[in-house]
Amino acid sequence: MEQDRYLTFALGKGRLARKTMELFEKIGIPCKEMQDKETRKLIFVNEEAHMRFFLAKGPDVPTYVEYGAADIGVVGEDTVLEENRKIFEVLDLGFGRCRMCVCGPKEAAGLLQRRELIRVASKYPHIAKDYFYNKKHQTVEIIKLNGSIELAPIVGLSEVIVDIVETGSTLRENGLDVLEDVCPLSARMVVNPVSMKMEHERITKLIAALKEVLF
Ligand code: PRP
């Protein structure tokens, strides 16, 4: 029989990758090399399963998958929505649950209700734009930031922010509130459309095995 080619996975670095590998271990695809906390390696191989895993920055995962450098990716739904790449979203992995929200000081709630022209700071300008323009029909100015988004309304850069809320402690400790919910988020498995055709059997088997341990 012809040897399977290696299936390549792009995993968002950090907790997402660790959680993914815990899940893969449960379905009999361990990757010992990756468990070494000291390692600076970026690519790990499971020779038996003919799979290789590489660690990438979260926002780059959909790019690797769209271009076929990875057949499969694991990344947060926030990144899938923000990057809007030509990829198939095939499975909700259930971990990394959090929410995308519009947040700000309580007083800003009225600005949202009256649909005023306000400034919105976010690490997710596309998600923010889609929410305000297409769902709320409110014209706003969107300001892209790269982190510590909660600072923006505190120092007067914007009236509100669109950001991820997990435990809510960053908001609480900075005197901000959730004003509106945009959407729920969690880790997703995404697949390159060509790989989905060429490796259909292996990928559907893998999804079925993951579903068994997830649900
Ligand atoms: C994320 C997010 C919030 C915080 C929410 O930031 O942007 O700031 O976590 O979590 P919480 O509700 O549990 O407090 P992250 O820590 O990724 O850093 P960043 O601000 O640099 O984006």
Side-chain angles (χ1 to χ4, degrees), residues 83-95:
E83 295 298 316
N84 198 23
R85 294 276 175 183
K86 292 183 198 79
I87 51 180
F88 292 155
E89 198 181 307
V90 295
L91 190 60
D92 181 347
L93 295 170
F95 51 82

Side-chain angles (χ1 to χ4, degrees), residues 1-206:
M1 199 182 92
E2 199 185 311
Q3 183 73 281
D4 285 340
R5 73 172 185 89
Y6 278 83
L7 263 192
T8 302
F9 294 74
L11 310 179
K13 255 186 204 173
R15 224 182 109 220
L16 218 57
R18 280 197 298 279
K19 285 270 185 191
T20 306
M21 293 323 294
E22 278 171 29
L23 210 57
F24 273 64
E25 205 165 340
K26 282 191 194 160
I27 61 166
I29 306 169
C31 193
K32 282 228 170 64
E33 274 184 311
M34 214 193 279
Q35 285 160 2
D36 174 6
K37 289 209 170 74
E38 301 297 306
T39 188
R40 302 288 292 163
K41 267 183 95 162
L42 295 170
I43 303 186
F44 306 88
V45 181
N46 179 316
E47 298 286 358
E48 224 173 286
H50 266 234
M51 289 181 183
R52 58 179 190 160
F53 303 90
F54 68 78
L55 303 177
K57 279 265 188 195
D60 296 337
V61 168
T63 313
Y64 284 109
V65 175
E66 181 183 280
Y67 283 89
D71 300 288
I72 295 174
V74 174
V75 71
E77 172 73 348
D78 49 321
T79 305
V80 175
L81 294 172
E82 183 62 25
E83 295 298 316
N84 198 23
R85 294 276 175 183
K86 292 183 198 79
I87 51 180
F88 292 155
E89 198 181 307
V90 295
L91 190 60
D92 181 347
L93 295 170
F95 51 82
R97 284 203 186 282
C98 50
R99 299 184 287 155
M100 186 66 75
C101 300
V102 181
C103 311
K106 273 202 181 69
E107 309 81 75
L111 304 173
L112 297 171
Q113 273 155 23
R114 292 192 298 275
R115 298 207 170 94
E116 289 191 27
L117 176 60
I118 52 171
R119 287 188 185 154
V120 179
S122 186
K123 196 152 89 174
Y124 302 93
H126 293 112
I127 295 177
K129 190 172 175 197
D130 179 60
Y131 178 71
F132 277 96
Y133 282 75
N134 299 333
K135 299 213 175 86
K136 270 183 71 85
H137 305 293
Q138 178 173 359
T139 304
V140 296
E141 183 182 344
I142 294 174
I143 303 172
K144 161 92 163 80
L145 289 179
N146 295 297
S148 302
I149 315 299
E150 291 81 359
L151 272 175
I154 298 171
V155 301
L157 177 67
S158 69
E159 281 79 13
V160 298
I161 60 174
V162 167
D163 200 18
I164 290 173
V165 178
E166 194 181 351
T167 61
S169 52
T170 312
L171 289 179
R172 264 194 307 281
E173 289 182 31
N174 292 287
L176 304 173
D177 285 292
V178 170
L179 303 175
E180 290 177 358
D181 261 291
V182 176
C183 60
L185 304 168
S186 57
R188 303 297 160 104
M189 180 170 276
V190 294
V191 180
N192 171 277
V194 176
S195 305
M196 196 69 208
K197 272 196 199 141
M198 305 301 285
E199 298 287 343
H200 192 260
E201 202 185 323
R202 282 174 89 192
I203 294 175
T204 45
K205 262 191 195 158
L206 176 71

